[in-house]
Amino acid sequence: GQQLNQSPQSMFIQEGEDVSMNCTSSSIFNTWLWYKQDPGEGPVLLIALYKAGELTSNGRLTAQFGITRKDSFLNISASIPSDVGIYFCAGLNYGGSQGNLIFGKGTKLSVKP
Amino acid sequence: NAGVTQTPKFRILKIGQSMTLQCAQDMNHNYMYWYRQDPGMGLKLIYYSVGAGITDKGEVPNGYNVSRSTTEDFPLRLELAAPSQTSVYFCASSYSYRKYNEQFFGPGTRLTVL
């Protein structure tokens, strides 16, 4: 089946630093979503991308839909302690009868005050 | 709106026992999903539903059953619990199924099978 490679697996950064993470796939996706999961909670949608090349921001978060449609990037600027959590990418290829999200394994972010 | 709610939050089962994980949403979404999340892994789709009375298998359906008698509820049934079903289970719903499949997740049920 389709797989997403999400990297890095984990990050340890100082408060105030910028963060970059990405997801790549061997298949083309039509939609990319980025979620954040806090400990003991369900994932919360951060940003949705629908078009190749699209760049979308949500506060300090910026995500891009790769031009090849096989990758996506999430950047967090000026990190703060509440950014701690696991960030997941999810891709959707809704060709044919399939319309289900494929999730990456997540990037665990730790922020040192 | 409460969004997506799940009960129970935690449960310990013995091997061979059965249980139902409850999921409800109040956003009038037609599409609902069940995922499991194992440590260090992403979310794996178990079953999904595109409307009341319509369900279909996801990537990892073995050992589970679902039903969808109303738009609001989508329970997940484990008939004969096995240690391999120890996981965190998430229910999700979405307004759209294809391109704009922005899924909203519940808080999860943490299940341990001993």
Side-chain angles (χ1 to χ4, degrees), chain A residues 9 30-31 33 35 37 40-43 45 48 50 88 92 94-101 103-106, chain B residues 9 33 35 37 40-45 48 57-59 90 97-108 110:
Chain A
Q9 196 171 7
N30 306 107
T31 296
L33 304 176
Y35 286 87
Q37 185 178 25
E41 302 292 330
L45 182 65
Y50 301 112
F88 290 99
L92 174 64
Y94 53 87
S97 62
Q98 288 298 313
N100 295 317
L101 290 176
F103 283 84
K105 293 184 179 180
Chain B
K9 198 162 178 65
Y33 314 83
Y35 293 90
Q37 184 180 37
M41 304 295 288
L43 293 139
K44 300 287 186 182
L45 183 65
Y48 66 100
K57 296 177 181 179
E59 185 181 356
F90 289 101
Y97 180 54
R98 288 182 176 270
K99 183 173 184 177
Y100 301 102
N101 191 343
E102 298 175 12
Q103 295 184 16
F104 296 87
F105 285 82
R110 186 175 295 273

Side-chain angles (χ1 to χ4, degrees), chain B residues 5 7 13 26 29 39 48-51 57 65 83 96 99 108 114:
Chain B
T5 58
T7 57
L13 283 182
D26 62 358
H29 287 169
Y48 66 100
S49 169
V50 300
K57 296 177 181 179
N65 277 301
S96 178
K99 183 173 184 177
L114 300 173

Side-chain angles (χ1 to χ4, degrees), chain A residues 72-93:
Chain A
S72 180
F73 305 86
L74 176 70
N75 295 318
I76 304 173
S77 63
S79 58
I80 59 178
S82 62
D83 290 335
V84 165
I86 302 177
Y87 292 80
F88 290 99
C89 61
L92 174 64
N93 183 342

Side-chain angles (χ1 to χ4, degrees), chain B residues 51-71:
Chain B
I54 307 170
T55 63
D56 206 349
K57 296 177 181 179
E59 185 181 356
V60 289
N62 291 344
Y64 307 94
N65 277 301
V66 293
S67 59
R68 183 100 181 269
S69 55
T70 67
T71 299

